[in-house]
Amino acid sequence: MTQYGRAAAVVGLSAGLALGSGGTALAQVPAADPASGVSAAQNGAPGGSGFRLAPSGRPTLQLPIGEIQFRGRVAGTVQSPARDRGTALPDPGWQTARLQVEGTLFTRLEFEVSREFGDPEEPERDLFANFRVTRGFELRGGQFKVPFGRDALTGGANLDFVYRSLLGRQLAPGRDLGVMAHGRVSGRRVAYQAGYFRHDGDNARTAQTRGGGPALAGRVVVTPLAGRDTPLARLQVGGAVVTSRLDDVLGLRGRTVFGEGVFFDRVFVNGRRLRRGLEAAWAMGPVSLSGEHMTVSDQRTGMGAAETDLPTVTASGWYVAGTWVLTGERKDGRVEPAHSLFDDGHGALELTARVERLAFGTSAEFPALTVSPLTPLPVANADRVVTVGLSWYLTRHLKLTGNAVFEFLGDPARSPEPEGDGRVPTGVVQFQFVL
Amino acid sequence: MTPVTSPRAWLAQTLVCALLSAAAAPALAQTQADLFNDSTVQDIHLTVSSRDWEALKAHADENTYYAADLRWRGVTVRNVGIRSRGAGSRNGVKPGLRVDMNRYVDQSFLGLRALILDNAYTDPSALREVLAMKLFARAGLPAPREAHARLLVNNEYAGLYIVVEPLDRTFVARVFGDAEGNVENGGFLYEYSWVREYGFEYLGPALEPYAEIFEPRTRETDAISRLYQPLEALTRLINDTAPDRVEPAVGALLDLPALVRFLAVQQVAGEIDGFIGNWGMSNFYLYRFRDNRPAQVLPWDADHSFWALDLPIDHRLETNVLTRSIMAVPALRRLYLETLVSVSALVAGGAGADGRGWLEQEADRLAAAIAPLVAADPVTPFTFAEFDGNLRGLRGLLRTRPPYVACTAQAVLDPAAPQSCPVPAPGDIPAPMLTR
């Protein structure tokens, strides 16, 4: 089966489940167990075992030792024509087609397996088990996201924009194989994650490049006023660090929002890679604000003539994002519309905006460096992006998002629009189904 | 399960289906083999702003890139980068062009990252480059694929060109395997850059002189020592090794049998600006394999082949340290002579009643295809009469040089063979037109 065939199968399954037996269907069936939403009719199995639909609308397999939930997400986009993508007509395509199975066994053992059907090269996503010793100390092992970057760690279904921030896609590590201790302490005001990973994430590697070596990662997020009656009760601030080894590999590459333009090409790096990040987020009622700052430095130890060091390649960036649910629903990740479109309502509308910048260059530690044919310096460049958007949550499962993306490349000659002034405007519409 | 009957639900389903159908549109089936198929003259279209095209020609000595759209047989690649290219052939009347698919956008054209449009500006026949690469390939050596092309710029005929496969990691992957073409772990490809007359003399332990003449075309930003230390070591070994140690010592770093074959092809072709050129080494690439197998020399820019009718078979071999060392090894010298004979046989092989060998037949076939385009070429520096006359000279060379080379080589190999080989007459072959 082709990737499109598999994607179509997922779409068919998902759409059928959502449109045929979505939230409205659940509401029509009296629940025998108010806590779990299980009805006797849906359960259909003695002793509490069998399939049911959870309140979230997800098919759930209830077992004597726990439960297993099936989730899915399908998203397609249509982008406006643009020279940088070589399109003269609106450009439709799949963004994601993912199936996910997660569950809890014996109360404390959780697991998650997900597969991306739109990515034939690297279809495996999460594959991990999590053992909860206490709320303050849990252990996770397998393949999952390296704990770094708020936007990068946000689930795809909960993103406010069609695309993650440049930081989230290019500077954050992404997923890798590892073990991690994590938990919430101090009355759940402090969340921590600390882990060891085999490599430093799939965002920094391709089918032909290895990326960094073993990585150590740590992240702390504090909600200082959690539980208090104050507008800042949902304020979160945090920081994260990831360090990894680079063994004569190709480093990071600066890509434009839609990925086709390369505004900073990768160079060989050797030594240590250090990622540092700061993050903050706040929400109150229908409004939210978030922001991050990240830096990544890739050493080039012993790569010069006579094995001298070359200047470190650096990448740094930030973003500030805001959202406002115009229809008044509470903002907490994905918006739950108070009145679904299929219940004679109109869904929920959310206004979004993000400003971000990502810059690449070299460290200023080598002011006396003599540039020669043997020591070419990567030429710095930066991408500044403004995104404004409107999201329409038709139901809890269906979402239509429109984003207008304005990119400004620092060096127009290395932008996807070399004949312009480095400005690349693009419109994109995303249709997303989430189960 | 509740049946779906709501019009809104149908609307949502229809949207999903429309997205599916659009995303599953089939790709075009053109291939690189189609592009380099020389049984027909390819039509290459470039769409570029008139201002940029004029600027490119006015500043042909610069490597400034301009944005353009490339089209071939319905395959369009938008936003490619084009620039002027070439050494002696570089000019602003009929500019040689390099087309980089991924200059601005991460994309490729039939899997190619770049394309060369050779302006055939120094060869009145416009055939020598193509014929030489055909001979390399026929002799079993990796060589770029080429085909004649009618270049149309903004839908106007801009001249007869040769579309040339660039030597890059895509080429390396094709001829040596995907692993060798890996962007991070593949081998090291260098373009030899002519700066002065040079013949593999040792340049000292510092790496700068090697970096000056060997420009990396893969792994360009890798550690300096990884890029150039092996070249310094190779050059030192070539200069320091006694003849009886050349095969095991130098041969461990450089594929000597393949180089001997390479030299033999260029000698049969009467190349005067190649590895053993009249101005020192020129027009070749060096490829170091990722697993340290002996490196290989690759041919490039052979438009000065088939110029010299009576070039001796040992022409300038003594002027280059490496070829001098090779020829001092009896086994390698014998291999060279034997290869001269076999390559000559390749050129002259398949002759029919009319006496035309394989390469002459190829020349005639290609000439017939390009003749109307040469006549209509608005920017060629040659008249059609010059094309025709030069073609006749080229055919004469293809007919007379191989027997001469084979006879001369055989005379050295076998003292019992005829020792007198008639030197071909220059006939109407014009003098070289090198501008260097």
Side-chain angles (χ1 to χ4, degrees):
Chain A
M1 192 183 286
T2 66
Q3 60 165 324
Y4 294 117
R6 288 192 293 269
V10 174
V11 170
L13 172 68
S14 306
L17 286 167
L19 300 173
S21 60
T24 51
L26 262 186
Q28 292 163 358
V29 180
D33 178 359
S36 65
V38 178
S39 75
Q42 287 171 316
N43 192 325
S49 294
F51 267 105
R52 65 181 175 82
L53 288 178
S56 60
R58 294 172 193 142
T60 302
L61 177 62
Q62 192 72 40
L63 301 169
I65 58 171
E67 68 169 30
I68 298 173
Q69 283 199 347
F70 298 87
R71 305 175 65 173
R73 180 158 55 88
V74 181
T77 58
V78 180
Q79 294 175 6
S80 63
R83 281 188 63 85
D84 64 299
R85 289 187 309 282
T87 55
L89 295 169
D91 184 20
W94 282 110
Q95 189 179 31
T96 188
R98 187 172 305 186
L99 205 54
Q100 181 171 319
V101 179
E102 61 184 38
T104 305
L105 302 175
F106 306 109
T107 311
R108 291 171 183 269
L109 182 63
E110 298 163 347
F111 69 90
E112 187 174 318
V113 179
S114 60
R115 185 178 177 86
E116 175 62 56
F117 289 85
D119 182 357
E121 287 185 0
E122 208 168 348
E124 292 79 21
R125 290 297 194 264
D126 289 328
L127 176 60
F128 64 81
N130 189 79
F131 185 69
R132 191 173 69 241
V133 181
T134 68
R135 289 281 181 198
F137 184 73
E138 302 183 35
L139 283 174
R140 179 178 294 187
Q143 178 167 294
F144 51 93
K145 286 180 181 174
V146 177
F148 185 90
R150 179 183 183 81
D151 190 50
L153 294 171
T154 300
N158 294 331
L159 293 174
D160 298 324
F161 301 87
V162 175
Y163 291 97
R164 290 184 197 278
S165 64
L166 294 174
L167 306 188
R169 285 188 286 159
Q170 299 181 38
L171 299 194
R175 289 180 174 81
D176 221 314
L177 203 60
V179 291
M180 180 175 81
H182 65 110
R184 290 170 176 268
V185 295
S186 291
R188 301 175 64 109
R189 286 190 177 85
V190 178
Y192 73 90
Q193 296 156 305
Y196 171 85
F197 295 84
R198 194 177 64 169
H199 297 291
D200 72 346
D202 56 1
N203 283 350
R205 63 174 179 260
T206 68
Q208 289 209 342
T209 61
R210 287 168 288 163
L216 285 172
R219 177 174 181 249
V220 175
V221 177
V222 180
T223 314
L225 302 173
R228 297 192 187 176
D229 185 16
T230 162
L232 297 178
R234 291 167 66 195
L235 172 68
Q236 292 184 326
V237 292
V241 175
V242 180
T243 178
S244 55
R245 288 295 308 168
L246 302 166
D247 182 16
D248 197 42
V249 296
L250 283 166
L252 302 179
R253 178 160 50 178
R255 286 180 169 277
T256 53
V257 170
F258 295 94
E260 290 85 354
V262 176
F263 65 91
F264 183 88
D265 208 357
R266 55 199 174 190
V267 298
F268 276 85
V269 289
N270 187 56
R272 186 177 72 151
R273 169 175 287 159
L274 180 62
R275 290 179 165 95
R276 289 171 290 187
L278 294 172
E279 61 182 76
W282 169 81
M284 190 177 77
V287 177
S288 76
L289 285 173
S290 61
E292 283 190 74
H293 182 271
M294 285 183 194
T295 61
V296 180
S297 60
D298 285 357
Q299 290 182 331
R300 292 197 290 165
T301 307
M303 297 187 71
E307 303 198 345
T308 55
D309 295 346
L310 294 179
T312 298
V313 177
T314 60
S316 65
W318 53 263
Y319 75 81
V320 176
T323 69
W324 177 26
V325 185
L326 300 172
T327 43
E329 284 85 347
R330 174 185 158 92
K331 175 64 178 177
D332 187 12
R334 190 177 177 85
V335 174
E336 290 267 345
H339 303 286
S340 166
L341 182 68
F342 299 145
D343 285 338
D344 295 329
H346 295 94
L349 280 178
E350 183 183 36
L351 204 57
T352 57
R354 181 172 66 199
V355 181
E356 58 187 318
R357 184 176 189 272
L358 177 58
F360 286 83
T362 51
S363 67
E365 301 162 16
F366 290 78
L369 184 77
T370 304
V371 178
S372 80
L374 292 181
T375 55
L377 283 175
V379 183
N381 203 358
D383 190 8
R384 187 160 52 88
V385 184
V386 177
T387 306
V388 291
L390 185 66
S391 295
W392 180 22
Y393 294 83
L394 289 75
T395 71
R396 67 200 305 185
H397 301 293
L398 296 172
K399 176 184 170 187
L400 199 59
T401 303
N403 280 178
V405 182
F406 304 93
E407 285 194 88
F408 306 87
L409 274 296
D411 181 357
R414 286 188 292 155
S415 79
E417 289 280 22
E419 291 184 329
D421 52 5
R423 298 182 183 185
V424 187
T426 311
V428 58
V429 175
Q430 179 200 54
F431 173 81
Q432 187 188 60
F433 167 78
V434 175
L435 183 61
Chain B
M1 188 177 287
T2 307
V4 178
T5 53
S6 152
R8 286 171 181 168
W10 275 110
L11 183 67
Q13 283 185 323
T14 304
L15 186 54
V16 169
C17 292
L19 280 169
L20 261 177
S21 307
L28 289 165
Q30 304 289 357
T31 65
Q32 291 180 26
D34 295 326
L35 177 67
F36 296 114
N37 177 2
D38 67 4
S39 65
T40 181
V41 176
Q42 308 292 342
D43 275 358
I44 304 278
H45 292 258
L46 285 176
T47 305
V48 56
S49 92
S50 304
R51 191 185 56 192
D52 285 353
W53 181 241
E54 292 308 317
L56 185 149
K57 290 193 289 187
H59 305 285
D61 55 330
E62 299 172 1
N63 285 339
T64 307
Y65 275 92
Y66 301 89
D69 291 349
L70 171 74
R71 182 159 55 87
W72 169 77
R73 286 196 196 171
V75 181
T76 300
V77 188
R78 297 186 191 278
N79 225 17
V80 302
I82 62 170
R83 70 163 174 84
S84 172
R85 68 165 292 277
S89 63
R90 188 180 280 238
N91 72 90
V93 178
K94 186 181 181 184
L97 297 171
R98 179 180 174 87
V99 183
D100 275 311
M101 310 304 160
N102 55 3
R103 173 71 185 177
Y104 306 116
V105 182
D106 193 11
Q107 62 183 347
S108 64
F109 167 56
L110 310 173
L112 297 166
R113 291 176 177 79
L115 209 57
I116 303 299
L117 292 171
D118 185 313
N119 55 5
Y121 205 70
T122 57
D123 174 14
S125 77
L127 291 174
R128 288 177 166 80
E129 166 78 22
V130 178
L131 294 176
M133 292 308 171
K134 275 182 171 292
L135 183 56
F136 273 110
R138 180 102 166 183
L141 293 167
R145 293 171 292 180
E146 301 185 350
H148 284 99
R150 184 171 69 131
L151 178 65
L152 295 108
V153 175
N154 299 331
N155 290 321
E156 284 189 16
Y157 180 41
L160 175 71
Y161 279 72
I162 301 166
V163 54
V164 180
E165 178 183 23
L167 298 192
D168 55 16
R169 65 186 176 88
T170 307
F171 171 86
V172 165
R174 178 177 72 81
V175 299
F176 297 127
D178 287 340
E180 293 293 339
N182 184 288
V183 65
E184 188 173 80
N185 298 317
F188 295 82
L189 179 69
Y190 307 87
E191 180 176 5
Y192 178 78
S193 174
W194 192 95
V195 212
R196 68 188 76 86
E197 188 165 338
Y198 175 67
F200 258 120
E201 294 83 6
Y202 184 54
L203 300 172
L207 301 181
E208 282 84 351
Y210 304 95
E212 187 184 19
I213 55 176
F214 288 102
E215 295 184 24
R217 291 292 177 246
T218 61
R219 304 180 67 157
E220 295 92 331
T221 58
D222 208 338
I224 301 304
S225 57
R226 280 178 184 258
L227 282 167
Y228 298 115
Q229 205 74 62
L231 298 184
E232 184 272 339
L234 172 66
T235 312
R236 181 158 34 84
L237 210 56
I238 287 170
N239 282 267
D240 291 352
T241 305
D244 62 329
R245 293 285 304 152
V246 165
E247 269 192 292
V250 179
L253 301 180
L254 189 63
D255 188 337
L256 295 179
L259 177 59
V260 164
R261 195 162 192 80
F262 183 99
L263 294 170
V265 169
Q266 289 206 325
Q267 288 290 33
V268 171
E271 167 71 79
I272 56 173
D273 196 20
F275 196 85
I276 307 296
N278 288 353
W279 302 270
M281 296 196 297
S282 196
N283 293 319
F284 72 94
Y285 281 60
L286 182 70
Y287 183 69
R288 283 175 47 219
F289 290 88
R290 63 198 292 265
D291 56 4
N292 293 323
R293 272 180 288 160
Q296 200 159 333
V297 171
L298 303 167
W300 186 247
D301 210 355
D303 57 347
H304 289 104
S305 299
F306 308 109
W307 279 106
L309 191 67
D310 54 353
L311 210 63
I313 59 170
D314 56 356
H315 178 67
R316 290 184 63 84
L317 288 172
E318 279 295 313
T319 65
N320 183 293
V321 181
L322 175 58
T323 54
R324 193 166 61 231
S325 293
I326 289 174
M327 293 305 151
V329 179
L332 292 175
R333 177 162 180 77
R334 181 171 187 81
L335 177 64
Y336 173 69
L337 294 167
E338 289 171 347
T339 312
L340 285 175
V341 174
S342 61
V343 171
S344 297
L346 276 181
V347 174
D354 58 3
R356 296 183 308 145
W358 160 72
L359 203 53
E360 191 183 345
Q361 293 172 33
E362 286 296 289
D364 286 346
R365 179 176 65 81
L366 295 172
I370 67 173
L373 297 171
V374 171
D377 191 329
V379 283
T380 180
F382 308 108
T383 63
F384 189 78
E386 286 173 317
F387 162 74
D388 194 43
N390 196 264
L391 180 61
R392 276 186 281 118
L394 173 63
R395 294 173 62 195
L397 185 146
L398 291 172
R399 181 129 5 151
T400 57
R401 181 162 174 78
Y404 166 69
V405 169
C407 173
T408 312
Q410 198 63 50
V412 181
L413 281 167
D414 181 9
Q419 296 295 301
S420 174
C421 300
V423 178
D428 54 359
I429 296 178
M433 301 177 62
L434 294 184
T435 54
R436 181 176 291 160

